[in-house]
Amino acid sequence: MFSVKWFAIFLFFSPLTFSMELDEGFSRNAENGILFKTINQKYGTRPGYLYGYSEDKYYSLSKNGSAIGDYELNSSSNTIKGWPLTRWQYEPIENEVKFFQADIYKKLYQKVFNPIGCLDEIPLNQGDLDADGKSELILFLGYDLVVFSPEAGRIVFMINYTVPGWMSLEGTAHHHEANWIKEGDEGVPQYQNLLDEHYGDALAGLRGYAKLYVGDFDKNGQTDILVWRKLYESNMQNNPVKGFHKLKDSFYHYERSTAAGSTGEYLPQETDPGTIRSWLAEKNLTWQQGYPSKSECEGEEGQLIPEMHDPLLNDPDVLQ
């Protein structure tokens, strides 16, 4: 019933390197339909996905990605232990993304059009993020990667790993034609902003990605998560360079506190971006080595996710 994703989140703990395999959850099908029916009869609810963590014990993810549940089928109680999922207050994100994604950004989960790397085909997974022997739930909810700790009963880390704010060339041409925008004029983008599709403006597409790296980078005995984010904007049609140009690199440092009374979350640290970049350089960690990196799409397994490593980004980092 259970399977293991082939890909791994790489954890960099000097002097050894660990990797974390993710155990996949599952959705309803012919093989486990009776289990879902039993849960519905006992609890009066229909989970979207399940992960079995012990005999007759299952974590669930709701169909709309709004809650985690905990079912004990051998219990006499029909009360569900559960936790709501909302956006994490410490999420690393650029102000530009919040602005352009205004309505979308408020939600933790949204229906995804053409998700990168097929990472959210099975959104409920289990793994040990920091190799401490305690498993977390690793969720791929649309454009977001969420780490939820059942022990802490909360989200302990999350990133928005892709900003899908751009149209294809075909979609751009259709938008411009429909809104009487003359191709090639100054200020007309090569890739129209997808988030502006309901308006008649010519607005440059916005495209962004995030990678994470896990380890004790500051060598204080606590687990760190480093986040490297890249944000791009479409070139204009009168620019001979095809594709996008980089608006910014952003670096964030999170550390998990083990102090008494702590929430179990990875909390933001006031670390200079130059220091974070030097930590990555010390361990020869490139953009391609950050997570996520490899595709889960049929026929692309083990290959780099094309969108995150696209030559059209005109960024040397993505090709190293």
Side-chain angles (χ1 to χ4, degrees):
M1 182 180 294
F2 309 111
S3 60
V4 178
K5 287 185 183 288
W6 70 267
F7 62 84
I9 293 178
F10 291 100
L11 315 180
F12 297 93
F13 294 92
S14 180
L16 300 177
T17 299
F18 298 86
S19 65
M20 180 183 71
E21 291 184 332
L22 300 184
D23 291 335
E24 288 186 338
F26 54 94
S27 57
R28 180 170 183 154
N29 56 34
E31 179 183 358
N32 52 52
I34 293 178
L35 173 61
F36 278 77
K37 183 176 180 180
T38 299
I39 288 175
N40 184 35
Q41 291 174 338
K42 180 177 176 64
Y43 296 97
T45 186
R46 297 177 183 272
Y49 299 87
L50 293 173
Y51 177 82
Y53 66 94
S54 185
E55 185 176 358
D56 289 329
K57 295 182 179 180
Y58 298 88
Y59 291 125
S60 71
L61 175 66
S62 59
K63 293 180 180 178
N64 63 359
S66 64
I68 292 291
D70 188 355
Y71 300 96
E72 295 190 28
L73 297 184
N74 57 4
S75 170
S76 59
S77 172
N78 60 358
T79 301
I80 306 169
K81 182 180 180 181
W83 306 270
L85 296 175
T86 59
R87 298 208 76 88
W88 189 47
Q89 62 176 321
Y90 302 119
E91 178 184 0
I93 198 75
E94 300 90 353
N95 288 329
E96 294 94 334
V97 176
K98 287 186 179 181
F99 172 76
F100 279 105
Q101 288 190 271
D103 293 332
I104 295 177
Y105 182 77
K106 295 176 184 177
K107 304 174 184 177
L108 180 58
Y109 175 79
Q110 54 279 325
K111 185 177 180 180
V112 175
F113 176 74
N114 193 26
I116 67 169
C118 303
L119 298 178
D120 67 341
E121 281 194 359
I122 300 294
L124 176 60
N125 307 269
Q126 186 245 30
D128 184 359
L129 179 66
D130 54 8
D132 66 350
K134 299 177 181 178
S135 294
E136 293 86 22
L137 297 179
I138 312 297
L139 314 174
F140 295 97
L141 302 180
Y143 308 118
D144 300 308
L145 185 158
V146 178
V147 181
F148 182 90
S149 168
E151 181 182 48
R154 66 177 66 225
I155 292 174
V156 295
F157 183 78
M158 73 169 287
I159 58 169
N160 163 258
Y161 63 87
T162 177
V163 179
W166 56 293
M167 295 183 185
S168 66
L169 289 174
E170 294 78 12
T172 295
H174 177 76
H175 176 87
H176 291 171
E177 180 181 1
N179 291 282
W180 302 91
I181 297 170
K182 187 176 179 181
E183 296 290 291
D185 277 2
E186 183 177 355
V188 176
Q190 296 177 19
Y191 296 87
Q192 173 70 23
N193 193 301
L194 178 64
L195 305 175
D196 187 51
E197 64 178 327
H198 300 300
Y199 302 93
D201 302 328
L203 184 63
L206 192 68
R207 182 175 178 179
Y209 304 102
K211 300 286 191 112
L212 64 86
Y213 309 79
V214 183
D216 183 9
F217 290 93
D218 56 8
K219 301 176 183 178
N220 68 349
Q222 305 296 334
T223 301
D224 304 302
I225 295 179
L226 305 184
V227 176
W228 184 357
R229 293 187 61 87
K230 287 179 171 289
L231 192 62
Y232 304 89
E233 186 178 64
S234 172
N235 290 338
M236 297 300 157
Q237 291 186 357
N238 60 359
N239 188 336
V241 178
K242 302 301 181 183
F244 296 76
H245 61 274
K246 184 169 64 178
L247 289 179
K248 63 168 61 175
D249 287 291
S250 301
F251 296 90
Y252 305 86
H253 174 206
Y254 289 77
E255 185 171 276
R256 186 175 187 179
S257 173
T258 57
S262 64
T263 61
E265 296 169 279
Y266 289 85
L267 301 178
Q269 307 297 302
E270 295 183 4
T271 305
D272 180 80
T275 298
I276 298 173
R277 190 146 204 172
S278 69
W279 287 342
L280 295 174
E282 286 173 7
K283 297 185 180 296
N284 297 314
L285 298 178
T286 66
W287 175 257
Q288 291 190 7
Q289 290 171 305
Y291 184 86
S293 182
K294 301 298 178 65
S295 176
E296 282 288 297
C297 295
E298 185 176 355
E300 295 181 357
E301 295 90 346
Q303 301 177 27
L304 292 173
I305 297 172
E307 294 88 344
M308 298 184 107
H309 309 90
D310 188 351
L312 283 175
L313 296 174
N314 295 298
D315 182 357
D317 285 334
V318 305
L319 302 177
Q320 296 176 358

